[in-house]
């Protein structure tokens, strides 16, 4: 996994402000057994990309808004949009 900071921000917005923007890219491999009791395996490689924005709400909460996309070499894919947070309250 490689994390790339795109820029530092200082944009005020609704009782806080955006403080950073970043991109994370990565790759991972896994082996899955094809059938139980045999020694045949399927190798799958996955690739990920995640774009995130950091938001500070007042002095007590840090939020990370993100959109992530994952794709596997066997054709499966997924995406997620969410918020991760840390509060000091």
């Amino acid at each position: 996994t490689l994390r790339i900071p795109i820029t530092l921000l200082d944009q005020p917005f609704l009782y806080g402000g955006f403080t950073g923007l970043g991109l994370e890219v990565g790759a991972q491999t896994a082996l899955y057994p094809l059938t139980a009791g045999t020694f045949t395996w399927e190798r799958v490689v996955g690739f990920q990309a995640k774009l995130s924005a950091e938001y500070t709400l007042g002095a007590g909460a840090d939020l990370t808004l993100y959109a992530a996309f994952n794709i596997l070499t066997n054709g499966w894919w997924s995406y997620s949009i969410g918020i991760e947070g840390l509060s000091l309250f």
Side-chain angles (χ1 to χ4, degrees), residues 14-87:
L14 293 178
Y15 305 109
F18 287 98
T19 58
L21 187 64
L23 176 68
E24 183 176 332
V25 292
Q28 177 176 325
T29 186
L31 292 173
Y32 295 101
L34 290 176
T35 56
T38 64
F39 292 102
T40 57
W41 297 84
E42 177 185 10
R43 181 177 176 204
V44 177
V45 179
F47 301 96
Q48 306 90 23
K50 180 179 178 181
L51 181 64
S52 62
E54 296 175 10
Y55 180 76
T56 300
L57 181 63
D62 292 327
L63 303 174
T64 302
L65 298 94
Y66 69 88
F69 183 76
N70 303 309
I71 189 164
L72 301 176
T73 54
N74 63 2
W76 295 359
W77 59 273
S78 68
Y79 69 91
S80 59
I81 299 170
I83 298 174
E84 298 171 349
L86 174 65
S87 176

